[in-house]
Amino acid sequence: MKMSLSPLGLGCAQLGNLYHAITGETAEATVRQAWDEGIRYFDTAPHYGLGLSERRLGAALSAYPRADFVVSTKVGRVLEPDPGGASRTDSQGFVVPAAYKRRWDFSRDGILRSLEDSLERLGLDRVDVVYVHDPDRHFEDTVNGAFPALLELREQGVVDAIGAGMNQAPMLAEFVRRFDLDVILLAGRYTLLNQPALDDLLPLCAERGVDVVAGGAFNAGILATASPGTMYDYAEAPAELVERAQRIAEVCERHGVELPQAALALPAAHPAVVSVVVGAHDPGQVRLNAERFRRPVPRELWTDLIRAGLLREDTVLRQEERP
């Protein structure tokens, strides 16, 4: 990849009023706090708040030199006006008026339109990274339309890097095999509770030099606090998973480590991972996550988790951190 990503990135779904509304001032302050913490990589998407995240992120980043930050956005959902929906609230988790509707479109024309619209909302003349977003049910269209279009855009110098962002590992691995990708965004599939990406995807990315951005390190909430929460992958967590998270938290505590601290450190320690992206609803959350990310985790923690059967034995860490 031509550019480098800051080790900690800001995921910007919350800037689009994910789960609850925040003010424009809070969104701007959140980005400003991220900048003050040394974060220079910002990830957004049209899906996040029906474009609100992109608009807020672009406005906040206008205060900084364009060459000093990296922005990624996503394609696959085209936003179309829906005047009849303006009186309703979006039904996909974002507290915004449903004045637009999402239309899946992984065709070449859809990719070009989506990117053009994103640039307008962001107020930028380019984005650095473009991911194909959640193509789980659109494999053929992605292979035949989206990636050829993105490869063309990269060849033309319109974007620097291309990839895919998904909540699963097998299809991402297939894309890495088929295409010359620069980076993937893997959400929730290499975490303290869930490591299926070790089966195929992460070794493949390491072999082929494809950078990995790790998202969903907290699995949507269960790992976000010192005592495990009850939400896992956007749904109520099964009791056995909460119990497993509690056992992990107890091992962490013996090493003087908070559960969220370990949750951020695990993906960051894999050689293929170049950045861990974490969302935040306000500046305080950014500050707390940055502090946790900077704290070192003793290598003995991983050893003890493996010995307790709470972490896979084939967990791969950077050489200097290997247990």
Side-chain angles (χ1 to χ4, degrees):
M1 201 159 54
K2 296 178 183 178
M3 84 292 297
S4 60
L5 308 183
S6 57
L8 183 64
L10 182 68
C12 295
Q14 285 86 342
L15 301 189
N17 290 355
L18 179 64
Y19 300 136
H20 68 261
I22 63 173
T23 65
E25 291 78 9
T26 296
E28 181 181 359
T30 299
V31 174
R32 186 167 59 247
Q33 184 67 43
W35 190 275
D36 291 345
E37 298 291 348
I39 292 172
R40 296 294 183 270
Y41 173 44
F42 302 86
D43 175 68
T44 186
H47 172 54
Y48 302 157
L50 295 171
L52 179 61
S53 171
E54 289 182 317
R55 291 193 296 272
R56 283 176 163 174
L57 178 62
L61 289 178
S62 66
Y64 306 105
R66 179 62 185 91
D68 290 354
F69 59 83
V70 173
V71 171
S72 59
T73 193
K74 306 181 183 78
V75 292
R77 293 173 173 90
V78 174
L79 302 183
E80 297 181 334
D82 184 11
S87 60
R88 302 192 307 270
T89 300
D90 178 55
S91 62
Q92 297 194 27
F94 297 92
V95 186
V96 295
Y100 291 87
K101 56 185 176 182
R102 304 166 179 86
R103 177 173 59 82
W104 292 105
D105 193 339
F106 294 89
S107 69
R108 182 181 186 277
D109 288 347
I111 298 309
L112 297 178
R113 176 182 166 183
S114 179
L115 181 56
E116 182 180 0
D117 290 348
S118 288
L119 291 173
E120 182 177 350
R121 286 188 291 266
L122 286 160
L124 299 174
D125 60 2
R126 64 180 176 87
V127 291
D128 305 283
V129 183
V130 178
Y131 298 111
V132 180
H133 197 189
D134 296 337
D136 303 71
R137 299 182 181 180
H138 306 273
F139 180 80
E140 294 299 331
D141 289 341
T142 300
V143 167
N144 297 319
F147 278 129
L150 290 180
L151 288 165
E152 181 183 334
L153 291 174
R154 187 181 64 185
E155 185 176 346
Q156 295 170 350
V158 176
V159 298
D160 290 323
I162 63 171
M166 302 184 72
N167 293 285
Q168 60 144 298
M171 192 179 291
L172 282 175
E174 185 61 24
F175 291 148
V176 170
R177 289 189 188 92
R178 290 189 180 219
F179 296 99
D180 177 23
L181 303 186
D182 303 288
V183 58
I184 60 162
L185 199 166
L186 174 67
R189 296 301 171 262
Y190 188 60
T191 72
L192 283 174
L193 286 174
N194 195 9
Q195 300 114 42
L198 285 173
D199 293 336
D200 194 9
L201 178 62
L202 290 176
L204 184 64
C205 287
E207 174 189 335
R208 301 203 174 191
V210 176
D211 290 338
V212 177
V213 172
F218 298 146
N219 280 130
I222 191 171
L223 301 174
T225 50
S227 296
T230 60
M231 294 298 291
Y232 174 79
D233 283 2
Y234 312 106
E236 192 73 18
E240 60 270 21
L241 205 59
V242 176
E243 189 271 337
R244 182 180 179 86
Q246 182 58 48
R247 291 175 60 201
I248 293 172
E250 290 167 0
V251 176
C252 288
E253 187 176 3
R254 291 202 295 269
H255 289 275
V257 174
E258 286 187 322
L259 183 62
Q261 179 188 351
L264 294 174
L266 178 69
H270 193 284
V273 174
V274 298
S275 185
V276 178
V277 170
V278 186
H281 274 110
D282 57 55
Q285 288 186 353
V286 176
R287 187 182 308 110
L288 181 58
N289 287 331
E291 290 173 355
R292 287 167 169 162
F293 189 77
R294 286 192 291 262
R295 290 182 211 146
V297 170
R299 59 186 180 182
E300 293 81 10
L301 169 61
W302 311 123
T303 305
D304 284 355
L305 288 173
I306 290 171
R307 286 173 178 166
L310 296 169
L311 194 62
R312 284 176 50 155
E313 292 185 3
D314 58 346
T315 296
V316 179
L317 306 176
R318 297 181 193 279
Q319 189 63 41
E320 65 271 17
E321 299 176 5
R322 191 180 299 276

